[in-house]
Amino acid sequence: MSGRKNAGSTSPWMLILISLVCFFATYNFLTMPSRGWDGPRKFLGGGGGDRDSAVSYRSGSGSGPNKRFHVALTATDALYSQWQSRIMHYWYKEMRDRPGSDMGGFTRILHSGKPDGLMDEIPTMVVDPLPEGKDKGYIVLNRPWAFVQWLQKAKIDEDYILMAEPDHIFVKPLPNLAHGDEPAAFPFFYIKPTENEKILRKFFPEEKGPVSKIDPIGNSPVIIKKAQLEKIATTWMNVSLQMKEDQETDKAFGWVLEMYAYAVASALHGVHHSLRKDFMIQPPWDLKSDNTFIIHYTYGCDYSMKGELTYGKIGEWRFDKRSYLQSPPPRNLSLPPPGVPESVVTLVKMVNEATANIPGWEDER
């Protein structure tokens, strides 16, 4: 997710609050007793600033009321973030009541510090960004701080939470993939804790056990008990800020730093995730969407008119969200040429369906 953060002066009370939160989080995970864990990782499957954001909806015929999860995504007021959020929310509404769904309420956690033009369209809670300059230009660093504030302020009816992102599209009804105290997460091939032990030991001390206890995940998509996330969130924020301040860590992890921070924070609290490869696909690398729940369109899709992938080179046909930084994609995008994988075709068709049905799609927000 990309976007911009509101500029402006920061209240000294906010600086004090963040300092206190960081102090207690550091104390907690340095003094917290280690919790043992045995066995390999499990890979499963193939409108106003404080409006009531925890809007509850009737769930489909999923697992039952106690398994419903609240869908939460963090966003900014940048147009780039807005149009993705609108498409994501459209497909949430389309899937939430279908058979097999455990989807409950929905909240866009807006960390720009003020309401925007989508307050009446998408259930939203406005929270504060980090103090000016604290994110050092890494906008995603605001995500854990946004979740900390939301968990403290919001009334959330569901026992579970799905942490999602604006560039997620639900391709089928999503059941609760978590099992009790074991959350469900998508394993990312580029999150490699055992290959980064030297760096991670700065944040995950040896007394906590081997770094293999750190799951190869980010915070999204994750379905987790609300009570667990309430414990993890402050540590996640603290570790993220510490990693960003450490030059070696910042250089090594780059744009996935906040993902590593969530994985470390979870491990510090003894929380381990079942790894669901079927949770999500990422075109153009994943070719089919028939065995997944979410399409994540973070990568550009570039093809020749013969249907050949030209990744790294602008294709004769392309769909890349970064082409729409300043304006939303137009309605009725051209479909890919013959030979392009089904996952990419489905992605474009779902974008087109959403934009055709969202009122005022191209209006300035």
Side-chain angles (χ1 to χ4, degrees), residues 5-17:
K5 177 170 70 65
N6 284 13
S9 60
T10 302
S11 167
W13 291 109
M14 184 183 295
L15 294 172
I16 294 171
L17 172 61

Side-chain angles (χ1 to χ4, degrees), residues 69-190:
F69 55 83
H70 196 95
V71 180
L73 72 153
T74 54
T76 74
D77 61 358
L79 190 148
Y80 178 63
S81 178
Q82 287 181 328
W83 70 254
Q84 293 174 54
S85 299
R86 298 180 80 189
I87 292 174
M88 194 272 195
H89 183 242
Y90 172 86
W91 282 108
Y92 154 78
K93 291 190 296 181
E94 286 294 307
M95 298 297 174
R96 73 183 178 212
D97 293 331
R98 295 187 185 182
S101 168
D102 284 320
M103 295 167 152
F106 187 102
T107 301
R108 180 181 62 134
I109 309 171
L110 183 64
H111 56 78
S112 298
K114 63 179 182 179
D116 67 357
L118 296 180
M119 303 299 293
D120 293 329
E121 179 177 330
I122 304 176
T124 297
M125 173 172 279
V126 177
V127 297
D128 293 318
L130 288 167
E132 182 68 24
K134 193 68 175 178
D135 64 13
K136 299 185 177 181
Y138 179 51
I139 191 68
V140 184
L141 208 61
N142 286 275
R143 182 177 293 156
W145 173 226
F147 268 104
V148 168
Q149 295 173 82
W150 176 64
L151 290 165
Q152 290 175 345
K153 297 177 180 179
K155 179 182 180 297
I156 306 165
D157 293 332
E158 298 83 359
D159 291 333
Y160 290 84
I161 291 169
L162 165 66
M163 291 187 283
E165 297 182 24
D167 59 353
H168 287 176
I169 290 179
F170 296 107
V171 294
K172 66 176 66 170
L174 180 60
N176 189 336
L177 303 177
H179 297 282
D181 289 334
E182 185 176 61
F186 178 80
F188 290 90
F189 71 89
Y190 48 78

Side-chain angles (χ1 to χ4, degrees), residues 4 8 16 25 34 50 58 109 111 116 138 180 213 283 331 359:
R4 62 178 172 84
I16 294 171
S34 298
D50 288 326
R58 177 177 57 84
I109 309 171
H111 56 78
D116 67 357
Y138 179 51
K213 286 189 173 184
R331 285 173 165 157

